[in-house]
Amino acid sequence: LLCIINSSYYNYFSSYTSISQLVTTKYLGEVKDSLITVVKLRDFIYLVLPTILIAYILKTKYRFSNTKNFKNFLKVNNLTVICTVLFALNLKPVDYSRLVKQWNRIYLVEKFGLYVYHVNDVFQSVEPKLIAIFGYDKAKRNFNDYYAKRTDVQSYTNEYTNIFKGKNLISIHGESIQKFVINLKINGKEVTPNLNRLVKEGMYFSNYYSQVSVGTSSDSEFTINTSLMPAKVGVAFVSYFDREYVTIPKLFKSLGYYNMSFHANKGDFWNRNSMYKSLGYDKFYDQKAFNIDETIGLGLSDKSFFRQLTPILKKENDNHQNFYATLIMLTNHTPFPDISSYSKDPLDLKMYVTENGETKAYPYLEGTVLGRYLQSVHYADEALGELMEHLETNGLLENTVLMFYGDHDARLSSSEYKRFYNYDYKNDKTLDETDPNYKKYGYYEHELNRSVPFFFWSKNDNQKINKTITNVMGAYDILPTLGNMFGFYNKYALGSDIFNTNNDNTVIFPNGNYVTNKIYYNSQSDEAYDIEKKEVIQKELEPREYINKRTKETEEKLNISNDILVYNLLKKVGLKTNDELKVGK
Ligand code: GP9
Ligand code: MN
């Protein structure tokens, strides 16, 4: 029965069922409507073997061997036991972590089989419900106290209030694009010429950080759209998709906007099909809406994705007064295979050194993960350049604001950057740390290097917004900042309008670390790093009051945010959820 249900479910959703979805009425309605068209005769092939087995037993009156005691059981099933042990020994830590996160159901079924997947799914689905049974009253009290000081409507204005009122918003989710690539040149060639131009013409936030946890891409989408932090345990998109949230799409909807998301991967990845309803998107153009005519890495290439989504966007623009569209890129995704052949003008990753009138080439970034990453970012940038052309020729830039964010860092190891900054060409290796020319790249340098680009660009408004903002900013500040610019307000946002922070913002991270304009604080070692001096602050010189105040605020925000997810505390705070999302074409 499980096989038949899953097989039919797969016909429609290209994924496997989850008990957490079966218990939500939203999902049942969707399946009911499509059940008849979805079930195919071939789904019943799973009946063949059991039928033969049952017939055989009945006919031969076959009796199963005596497996009552454990020794006999092992004897009868020794091959099964050996296979299971061998399988378990062969699993990598990443396989276990995928079981826990359960974000890629297809992978789990392929790796562990349908039954293991389902047993695991029951645990993963029940756990959040169990936690929510205890501690509700305390959580609700803290929640009420925390928001008691806040006004129901925005209590201030500033020079950016309503500047984008009535404009469309295209939000581009730049997969794994980090900030250090902006204005970076390799052998005289810009890695990201298109991003560099947009950053220069628009409003660029040069100290922006994503605040993701294990939910990576989905956490980034979650925090941007809700101004809440990722879940402490599990993934918000997967474990807390059935909660209510105050979100950018819902707030835009109250202003008459139509909300869409475009992503050429399967709609079920990160549980987007379900979570997008809770976020309030009206429409999700997932893999089904695209012709997969060019595959790179995880799926449809970004260039093809942008080419194909433009006519859809044009149609939606013609049909609606205003729109908010999220475009989720895919190509620049770990493990960054070599995609130089897809670029019109790939980077040359060698290092050229001229000595005694003779120029020699050294491998430098060739064959390294960082090298392939830069090549891949270069491709993503080319794709963005093409998107700008498509939007321009279709008149989609006239009344539109573009927003671009790197969703999280590329999760490359420190050793890649050490080689990048400290290449010893003579020996084709990384300089020794004791070398006087060695550029330090330790824990704090690596953490700060996780910064990703964020900017606004608007063809007809760039003169008004053209500047670089250095105040630290996090994904959770986007909703309030946008709200002030487009004309909406969310009392429950945990971030701030960046122009309402006295140039003294704090960006908190799910592990309790945080970054300000002055310091990066490491909560594990209770240690602060001076960003300007580029060194750890000695214990006796630490600005303790400054640190303690922010550490307390960080913990408070992380707790409130997690309580909102676990106890569904935003339920009935005012905005209705939108149930009308249609999946695919
Ligand atoms: C999956 C894509 C990548 O559809 O958005 O997710 P990530 O692995 O970056 O979290
Ligand atoms: Mn991502």
Side-chain angles (χ1 to χ4, degrees):
L1 193 63
L2 263 185
C3 290
I4 295 167
I5 291 173
N6 276 289
S7 183
S8 334
Y9 183 86
Y10 197 95
N11 294 335
Y12 190 69
F13 291 105
S14 304
S15 187
Y16 300 97
T17 57
S18 164
I19 181 153
S20 63
Q21 291 170 316
L22 281 170
V23 296
T24 65
T25 46
K26 278 179 205 166
Y27 166 79
L28 276 180
E30 209 169 87
V31 172
K32 241 190 319 181
D33 297 345
S34 47
L35 209 59
I36 297 123
T37 52
V38 159
V39 180
K40 299 215 164 77
L41 195 62
R42 62 152 194 247
D43 301 331
F44 294 92
I45 196 165
Y46 301 97
L47 290 177
V48 175
L49 282 178
T51 312
I52 295 174
L53 186 68
I54 292 166
Y56 178 78
I57 292 167
L58 290 177
K59 196 158 176 255
T60 61
K61 303 210 169 42
Y62 179 84
R63 291 183 142 267
F64 288 95
S65 322
N66 179 9
T67 55
K68 268 185 200 144
N69 75 43
F70 190 61
K71 246 189 180 163
N72 276 347
F73 171 83
L74 283 186
K75 236 190 255 164
V76 175
N77 294 294
N78 49 12
L79 191 62
T80 314
V81 172
I82 292 172
C83 288
T84 311
V85 171
L86 280 180
F87 174 73
L89 287 176
N90 261 314
L91 290 176
K92 295 186 208 84
V94 59
D95 294 319
Y96 290 108
S97 101
R98 283 191 170 171
L99 257 185
V100 176
K101 286 192 248 165
Q102 181 135 315
W103 65 281
N104 188 347
R105 298 188 205 150
I106 296 163
Y107 177 87
L108 288 186
V109 173
E110 278 170 6
K111 184 95 192 176
F112 296 94
L114 191 69
Y115 304 114
V116 174
Y117 160 74
H118 271 292
V119 171
N120 187 57
D121 175 60
V122 169
F123 282 108
Q124 300 302 335
S125 308
V126 168
E127 200 198 358
K129 308 258 181 273
L130 283 181
I131 313 174
I133 296 172
F134 308 100
Y136 176 83
D137 292 342
K138 190 170 166 231
K140 181 81 187 169
R141 248 194 333 271
N142 290 343
F143 173 86
N144 287 343
D145 291 350
Y146 188 82
Y147 290 108
K149 305 155 237 157
R150 304 241 180 133
T151 49
D152 286 333
V153 287
Q154 189 168 313
S155 57
Y156 66 89
T157 54
N158 58 37
E159 62 176 305
Y160 297 105
T161 303
N162 291 338
I163 52 161
F164 294 148
K165 207 168 171 72
K167 302 254 163 173
N168 304 315
L169 177 64
I170 296 179
S171 164
I172 304 169
H173 175 113
E175 179 58 50
S176 303
I177 296 185
Q178 267 174 244
K179 184 183 74 183
F180 80 97
V181 302
I182 302 291
N183 293 323
L184 176 70
K185 283 185 180 169
I186 302 286
N187 286 318
K189 193 184 285 175
E190 288 174 281
V191 177
T192 57
N194 293 297
L195 281 173
N196 296 351
R197 176 177 65 84
L198 298 172
V199 154
K200 201 166 151 222
E201 293 172 358
M203 178 183 269
Y204 178 45
F205 299 84
S206 63
N207 275 312
Y208 171 85
Y209 292 85
S210 87
Q211 296 164 294
V212 301
S213 178
V214 291
T216 44
S217 274
S218 73
D219 279 347
S220 205
E221 286 186 64
F222 179 72
T223 299
I224 287 170
N225 279 309
T226 61
S227 191
L228 298 175
M229 293 297 286
K232 274 191 188 168
V233 181
V235 176
F237 262 48
V238 179
S239 296
Y240 301 105
F241 73 93
D242 53 354
R243 309 304 204 241
E244 286 190 23
Y245 300 104
V246 181
T247 67
I248 292 179
K250 288 188 198 169
L251 292 157
F252 265 139
K253 195 161 186 80
S254 68
L255 297 175
Y257 282 59
Y258 188 69
N259 302 290
M260 300 165 271
S261 181
F262 295 78
H263 183 44
N265 203 352
K266 293 209 167 75
D268 220 52
F269 253 64
W270 284 130
N271 204 25
R272 284 185 177 104
N273 276 339
S274 300
M275 185 59 174
Y276 276 177
K277 285 176 199 162
S278 307
L279 291 179
Y281 280 105
D282 298 297
K283 182 91 178 165
F284 179 22
Y285 287 101
D286 72 351
Q287 196 183 64
K288 288 193 207 137
F290 296 89
N291 172 19
I292 311 300
D293 54 3
E294 183 183 55
T295 302
I296 311 178
L298 275 195
L300 184 65
S301 72
D302 284 344
K303 286 186 185 175
S304 177
F305 171 60
F306 286 148
R307 193 177 55 243
Q308 293 187 53
L309 70 79
T310 308
I312 307 177
L313 202 56
K314 186 165 167 26
K315 187 191 81 200
E316 296 287 23
N317 180 44
D318 293 343
N319 292 341
H320 299 95
Q321 179 202 327
N322 277 120
F323 68 81
Y324 164 49
T326 306
L327 318 183
I328 301 174
M329 297 174 77
L330 190 59
T331 304
N332 186 45
H333 193 277
T334 185
F336 310 111
D338 181 7
I339 62 162
S340 50
S341 57
Y342 294 94
S343 276
K344 280 187 223 128
D345 183 22
L347 300 169
D348 179 355
L349 298 168
K350 289 194 204 74
M351 181 183 270
Y352 296 90
V353 182
T354 309
E355 275 169 333
N356 309 324
E358 196 194 344
T359 303
K360 267 190 171 171
Y362 299 91
Y364 191 32
L365 295 168
E366 247 185 9
T368 68
V369 185
L370 182 61
R372 295 203 309 268
Y373 170 69
L374 292 175
Q375 201 71 265
S376 168
V377 169
H378 190 59
Y379 168 89
D381 181 80
E382 255 178 34
L384 277 166
E386 291 185 9
L387 172 70
M388 293 305 288
E389 283 170 23
H390 300 321
L391 295 176
E392 174 70 44
T393 40
N394 284 279
L396 286 163
L397 291 178
E398 299 311 317
N399 190 37
T400 299
V401 176
L402 280 186
M403 169 174 120
F404 178 94
Y405 61 90
D407 68 335
H408 47 73
D409 72 289
R411 285 162 285 166
L412 304 179
S413 80
S414 282
S415 59
E416 293 286 331
Y417 294 100
K418 283 180 183 158
R419 180 181 168 100
F420 178 55
Y421 293 120
N422 294 291
Y423 183 56
D424 171 8
Y425 65 89
K426 283 185 187 130
N427 303 302
D428 185 27
K429 65 179 187 58
T430 307
L431 276 181
D432 202 73
E433 290 192 19
T434 52
D435 193 288
N437 295 323
Y438 183 82
K439 189 174 167 228
K440 193 170 158 238
Y441 192 85
Y443 172 81
Y444 291 101
E445 288 77 14
H446 194 51
E447 289 305 313
L448 293 167
N449 195 28
R450 288 186 199 278
S451 174
V452 289
F454 176 65
F455 63 84
F456 292 116
W457 185 95
S458 177
K459 188 179 165 190
N460 300 321
D461 302 289
N462 279 335
Q463 308 88 313
K464 279 190 262 170
I465 59 167
N466 179 245
K467 60 161 83 166
T468 297
I469 312 290
T470 56
N471 189 5
V472 286
M473 182 178 188
Y476 69 174
D477 298 317
I478 291 184
L479 188 155
T481 306
L482 271 186
N484 180 52
M485 292 169 150
F486 282 85
F488 57 76
Y489 173 73
N490 170 12
K491 178 181 173 179
Y492 302 96
L494 287 178
S496 314
D497 171 0
I498 191 77
F499 300 110
N500 195 37
T501 60
N502 270 331
N503 212 19
D504 183 19
N505 198 24
T506 303
V507 177
I508 68 175
F509 298 104
N511 60 0
N513 290 4
Y514 58 82
V515 62
T516 70
N517 293 331
K518 296 192 175 88
I519 64 162
Y520 182 96
Y521 175 76
N522 177 352
S523 65
Q524 275 75 45
S525 55
D526 185 25
E527 185 181 77
Y529 173 88
D530 186 316
I531 294 174
E532 205 186 306
K533 289 192 186 137
K534 296 189 168 69
E535 62 189 27
V536 172
I537 307 172
Q538 288 169 26
K539 274 272 170 253
E540 58 278 12
L541 296 177
E542 273 177 358
R544 258 300 134 185
E545 213 177 298
Y546 180 92
I547 291 176
N548 290 345
K549 181 170 174 266
R550 282 160 183 80
T551 308
K552 198 171 152 250
E553 281 167 6
T554 302
E555 276 169 23
E556 196 175 19
K557 278 191 183 177
L558 288 174
N559 288 335
I560 292 287
S561 181
N562 201 57
D563 285 350
I564 288 176
L565 270 61
V566 173
Y567 301 106
N568 202 7
L569 297 176
L570 292 180
K571 199 174 172 183
K572 302 195 188 85
V573 292
L575 272 158
K576 284 203 191 83
T577 48
N578 165 38
D579 278 348
E580 288 136 32
L581 180 115
K582 287 174 196 72
V583 180
K585 257 184 198 152

